[in-house]
Amino acid sequence: MAEYCRACRHLISRKISGIQNRKISTRNLQTWKSAVLRKATRCKHKTVATPLEQLASGWLPRQQRSVSTWSPLAAAFNAKPLRKLDFSFGTQDTGLFGIPQLRHHTGFHLLREDVENEVDDLVAEAMSPGRSRKMVQILDQLSDSICRVADMSDFVRVGHPDHSYTEAAKETFLKLSELVEKLNTNVKLYKSLKDVIQHGDIVDTDAVDQIVGELLVFDFEQSGIHLDEQTREQFVCLNDSILASGSFFMQGAQKHVPFVKDRLPSHLQHCFSVAGSNALITGMHSDHPDNAVREAAYRIYLRPDSHQLDLLQGVLDGRNSLAKLVGFETYAHRELKRTMAQNPETVMKFLETLADQLRSRVKTDFEEMQRIKLKEQPSDFELKPWDIPYYSALAKQAKWHIDNSQYAPYFSVGVCMEGLNNLFSQLFNVTLQHEETSPGEVWSDDVLKLAVVHQSEGVFGYIYCDFFERGEKPNQDCHFTIQGGRQKEDDTYQLPIVVLMLNFPAPQGRTPSLLTPGMMENLFHEFGHAMHSMLGRTKYQHVTGTRCPTDFAEVPSMLMEYFISDPRVLSSFARHYKTGEPLPEVMVHSLCNAWKMLEASMMQLQVFYAIVDQVYHGKHPLPKSTTDIMADIQNKYYALPHVPGTAWQLRFGHLVTYGAKYYSYLMSRAVAAGIWHKCFKSDPFSRTMGERYRREMLAHGGGKPPGELVQAMLGESLTTDKLVQSLMEDLDS
């Protein structure tokens, strides 16, 4: 063992001793001893943990990086994951997420049966005349029983690489959705809950019980349970039709457009994919340097499609009828009832005020882009809708010299995780600690598990980091709740568990995954959602973490974008993966300035989208076709006019997924801007403000009205004027 240093030799000896203590045969002992030594790499002992420490824990080593000062957290994320060696000596794996039933995909069936049995028992308890627990407490436990399996299944059906698991998870998710629908039609259960909310429970309740109870009643009524039988049947039919039309619309929004190749100018025919005699237009090619390519793609990809038009109209008409059945003036009124905005009138006032304030700032942005286009296209320098993404990128490049390839070496995944850890440690006194997973616990060897640990309060929860591209993994960045936090009967706390799914390039050889500035921003954004889940300490899982109104749920993630765009935060961690050199100060400030550049024009585009969404879900019947309405709104609220012969709304899938709530991004950003400028701009590492943010906002999830949470944080009530003012101050800072 002379090739290893003393510390590594000690670790190997401990591993072999562990094998000897298992009392296996001499022959097998020699085999396992040889395996340990064969799998151990030569010692490259640094000031941090070596690969042999992972070997001693029963895992194959991860390759070392050139830098010798990585923290264990950074080293874990910067290493190329290798196939893990199982030293369990035949011990069964723990099952997916540590759930014993999920050692095999058939365990989903067992989990579903357990849920169904528990739900039956809880419904019986809720309806019992001898009930001794709070009604809300029982129903939240019922909800938790379903959600712990349904939410986990929802992730597995899209994120697991094994088809047998995805199919079993899909079936379980659908069966549990049917169970939820059945519960939502239990009139006796609904009336019992409503009676408790209106007249009080047999057990003393508090304000949180009342809020959660009202939310549960609202959820019941969203399903039309309070309607007479005939109207309820109509409600169900309408809802089914909306879901089907919405699903088909979403598929059509992503559909490629075949176009006869010979109808394109000859110099453009090679710029698109070809399928037989057709050119295949797969998107708008917004970053293509050829103006003609961008224009052709824009006009063809956004051309009207009668089937898509009918599907969208069906969704909008169905939603309006559904809202009226349950007593709302419009679908927007139904969707916004318990949000931060509360009603569509407030939303429209916010959007129209914002649109007015943006006009002069947008003019400056477009003049900047037009100057760039004039240099490139002196004969055709007028800006068109297909120009904006391309020339905004060129304008930033020209002024701040942003080159992703120069920044990426300073943004390895590991160093970005180190930056997040440092930020959370200073703000909240919590750290992100890498934990080795047990055999069978994760769905891919490159998934890493983090424990979120408070220095004095212990473990807050767990985050599974599924960060790297692979095979058929969905190309989406998102946050999945696997288990919500809640106070349990024995006074312990059920810890939240989430998955963060991102799509970063996998480490290659001795090179870790290197992120572009945009990827790094996405990482910080998604960790805003994750920490909302982790730091929540709600009494009930029904309102844990991100289970809150949509226009409030994006506030923590938007706020994280302010942190990462601050030079003090960025310079606190960005360093070269080979040399350890910090990101040069000039590059730090260039990147932060580039992020802020041309924001007014991007915000105006979002205002336009949000107003279209509000009008579509407002009063019906609509006065014009969806295309004519969209064109009128674009001509009024956006600096570039509508292009005749295009129907942009038919590609806007958010109309289905965020119906009447697309404004949420802008309103959440306005709140985040207010919090940043008032609480963190002077010191982005302030423990005082971090603790205030945790206790006044994050800890409550959806357990308090969002307006009250923001008021407690900012010390003032929200108004549309103040929200717009926050955004304008941010643009001008």
Side-chain angles (χ1 to χ4, degrees), residues 95 104 145 197 236 260 293 339 345 349 587 592 597 698 700:
H104 192 266
S145 175
I197 298 305
V236 171
V260 178
V293 171
T339 62
E345 291 77 19
K349 182 180 178 182
M587 292 179 70
C592 292
M597 186 177 177
L698 299 181
H700 301 285

Side-chain angles (χ1 to χ4, degrees), residues 419-434:
L420 284 163
N421 185 50
N422 178 59
L423 180 63
F424 297 148
S425 176
Q426 297 200 52
L427 289 177
F428 309 125
N429 201 22
V430 302
T431 55
L432 306 175
Q433 298 182 12
H434 173 231

Side-chain angles (χ1 to χ4, degrees), residues 662-683:
Y662 191 77
Y663 77 92
S664 297
Y665 291 102
L666 288 167
M667 189 166 284
S668 290
R669 180 174 173 180
V671 173
I675 294 172
W676 171 257
H677 287 283
K678 188 163 187 175
C679 304
F680 293 108
K681 187 176 181 180
S682 61
D683 180 6

Side-chain angles (χ1 to χ4, degrees), residues 219-518:
D219 289 345
F220 266 119
E221 293 179 350
Q222 290 280 74
S223 300
I225 196 170
H226 57 304
L227 305 174
D228 61 72
E229 186 174 351
Q230 182 178 355
T231 309
R232 190 159 61 246
E233 288 179 2
Q234 185 181 355
F235 180 98
V236 171
C237 290
L238 265 174
N239 194 53
D240 290 344
S241 175
I242 293 166
L243 290 173
S245 296
S247 177
F248 289 129
F249 178 84
M250 292 289 289
Q251 294 174 32
Q254 304 298 322
K255 188 171 61 176
H256 299 164
V257 181
F259 191 80
V260 178
K261 185 173 60 174
D262 292 342
R263 292 177 61 188
L264 291 169
S266 58
H267 70 286
L268 298 184
Q269 293 179 9
H270 69 283
C271 297
F272 303 103
S273 301
V274 176
S277 61
N278 290 327
L280 201 60
I281 314 301
T282 59
M284 289 190 285
H285 293 255
S286 301
D287 57 352
H288 200 285
D290 190 321
N291 178 68
V293 171
R294 295 195 307 275
E295 179 179 1
Y298 186 95
R299 290 183 180 277
I300 297 171
Y301 194 66
L302 297 184
R303 67 182 181 180
D305 179 284
S306 59
H307 183 58
Q308 278 289 94
L309 286 166
D310 289 343
L311 288 172
L312 176 58
Q313 192 66 54
V315 169
L316 299 178
D317 289 343
R319 284 176 169 175
N320 180 70
S321 298
L322 198 72
K324 289 186 178 299
L325 274 183
V326 290
F328 289 96
E329 182 180 350
T330 68
Y331 184 77
H333 283 89
R334 176 180 185 257
E335 288 299 291
L336 302 184
K337 182 177 180 180
R338 290 189 171 273
T339 62
M340 189 157 55
Q342 297 185 335
N343 56 67
E345 291 77 19
T346 299
V347 172
M348 283 302 296
K349 182 180 178 182
F350 166 67
L351 294 173
E352 289 179 337
T353 304
L354 181 55
D356 289 340
Q357 292 293 313
L358 283 171
R359 283 193 174 90
S360 60
R361 295 168 174 86
V362 170
K363 183 180 179 182
T364 302
D365 284 0
F366 276 73
E367 288 172 350
E368 182 78 23
M369 286 182 269
Q370 196 155 25
R371 279 194 292 270
I372 301 294
K373 186 173 183 181
L374 180 61
K375 293 179 182 179
E376 282 207 342
Q377 303 276 343
S379 62
D380 182 21
F381 59 85
E382 183 180 353
L383 283 176
K384 300 293 175 59
W386 50 82
D387 290 330
I388 304 308
Y390 177 70
Y391 285 108
S392 62
L394 281 189
K396 292 180 180 183
Q397 169 65 26
K399 187 167 186 177
W400 300 111
H401 311 291
I402 301 300
D403 182 345
N404 286 344
S405 65
Q406 293 181 10
Y407 279 92
Y410 295 92
F411 299 145
S412 65
V413 173
V415 83
C416 293
M417 293 301 300
E418 199 172 76
L420 284 163
N421 185 50
N422 178 59
L423 180 63
F424 297 148
S425 176
Q426 297 200 52
L427 289 177
F428 309 125
N429 201 22
V430 302
T431 55
L432 306 175
Q433 298 182 12
H434 173 231
E435 287 197 357
E436 291 289 358
T437 54
S438 301
E441 184 178 353
V442 294
W443 49 101
S444 179
D445 287 335
D446 58 3
V447 175
L448 297 175
K449 180 182 179 181
L450 298 178
V452 179
V453 184
H454 190 277
Q455 185 173 350
S456 61
E457 299 176 38
V459 178
F460 272 11
Y462 297 96
I463 304 172
Y464 288 87
C465 301
D466 188 354
F467 283 177
F468 305 113
E469 296 172 331
R470 65 172 180 273
E472 298 180 0
K473 180 180 176 181
N475 185 23
Q476 58 186 30
D477 298 343
C478 49
H479 160 275
F480 291 89
T481 297
I482 303 300
Q483 176 173 281
R486 71 181 181 100
Q487 196 70 41
K488 297 169 72 173
E489 294 290 311
D490 59 2
D491 287 332
T492 60
Y493 198 79
Q494 176 173 291
L495 298 179
I497 300 171
V498 304
V499 171
L500 286 188
M501 179 186 284
L502 299 164
N503 280 274
F504 298 149
Q508 298 294 328
R510 297 183 63 80
T511 304
S513 178
L514 305 178
L515 308 185
T516 65

Side-chain angles (χ1 to χ4, degrees), residues 62-208:
R62 292 173 176 263
Q63 289 184 314
Q64 289 280 96
R65 299 292 158 228
S66 301
V67 175
S68 62
T69 55
W70 294 132
S71 69
L73 178 68
F77 280 87
N78 272 353
K80 181 180 179 180
L82 301 175
R83 186 179 180 86
K84 294 174 181 176
L85 182 63
D86 183 6
F87 281 111
S88 61
F89 298 94
T91 303
Q92 287 186 319
D93 65 43
T94 60
L96 195 61
F97 292 111
I99 301 171
Q101 292 92 327
L102 295 184
R103 293 168 181 152
H104 192 266
H105 67 86
T106 54
F108 278 100
H109 176 73
L110 300 176
L111 289 176
R112 177 168 59 84
E113 285 189 333
D114 290 343
V115 169
E116 291 169 347
N117 291 333
E118 185 175 2
V119 165
D120 287 343
D121 291 342
L122 290 168
V123 169
E125 180 185 357
M127 304 307 301
S128 171
R131 174 172 59 86
S132 60
R133 292 197 297 162
K134 298 176 184 178
M135 176 67 79
V136 171
Q137 190 176 21
I138 296 169
L139 294 185
D140 187 72
Q141 184 180 341
L142 184 154
S143 174
D144 179 62
S145 175
I146 296 173
C147 288
R148 277 187 288 111
V149 177
D151 290 343
M152 181 268 296
S153 300
D154 190 28
F155 164 72
V156 173
R157 67 179 180 151
V158 298
H160 202 291
D162 188 327
H163 182 69
S164 61
Y165 271 84
T166 60
E167 287 302 304
K170 181 179 180 180
E171 181 183 2
T172 296
F173 182 81
L174 292 175
K175 291 292 185 182
L176 291 180
S177 297
E178 292 173 4
L179 176 61
V180 171
E181 288 300 315
K182 179 181 177 182
L183 290 169
N184 284 341
T185 59
N186 189 324
V187 177
K188 190 175 180 182
L189 186 62
Y190 159 71
K191 289 183 176 179
S192 296
L193 173 63
K194 182 128 185 182
D195 183 68
V196 164
I197 298 305
Q198 291 179 338
H199 305 108
D201 205 344
I202 58 175
V203 184
D204 290 339
T205 58
D206 57 25
V208 174

